[in-house]
Amino acid sequence: MEVGKEGLVLGREPGCDVVIDHPEVAARHLVLLFRDGVLFAQGLGAANSVLVNGWVLAGLCPLRCGDIVEVRGAGVTIRPWPAWGGRGEAA
């Protein structure tokens, strides 16, 4: 999946870019953003938190290739693998 200019929203709501049909997932749970050559994750205030590499996501978090983003309670794991080779910046 590609993260566009507006980001990629994950959640239970049908209008999300990625719909996760699970009762513990918020309507809009998480957004992935691509800014200045870096991929970021940001929670959207869900009761069940988002983990990045086992740590609770707080605010905007830059991601690197191989990081594990987990939507808690839903068993959804995201492993970013950017097209630029995963160095955390555009080549």
Side-chain angles (χ1 to χ4, degrees):
M1 237 178 263
E2 220 174 280
V3 178
K5 291 180 184 178
E6 301 301 315
L8 191 70
V9 177
L10 293 82
R12 199 177 63 243
E13 188 174 88
C16 290
D17 300 304
V18 177
V19 177
I20 304 170
D21 187 19
H22 191 282
E24 293 189 39
V25 173
R28 293 172 51 89
H29 203 99
L30 167 72
V31 64
L32 298 175
L33 304 164
F34 191 67
R35 300 286 186 262
D36 299 321
V38 179
L39 183 64
F40 292 90
Q42 183 171 24
L44 297 174
N48 282 333
S49 58
V50 175
L51 301 178
V52 176
N53 298 327
W55 294 88
V56 175
L57 179 64
L60 196 61
C61 177
L63 299 175
R64 296 191 61 147
C65 185
D67 283 348
I68 298 171
V69 181
E70 181 184 354
V71 178
R72 285 185 71 178
V76 175
T77 302
I78 302 160
R79 289 191 175 109
W81 198 262
W84 64 84
R87 292 193 322 260
E89 57 188 31

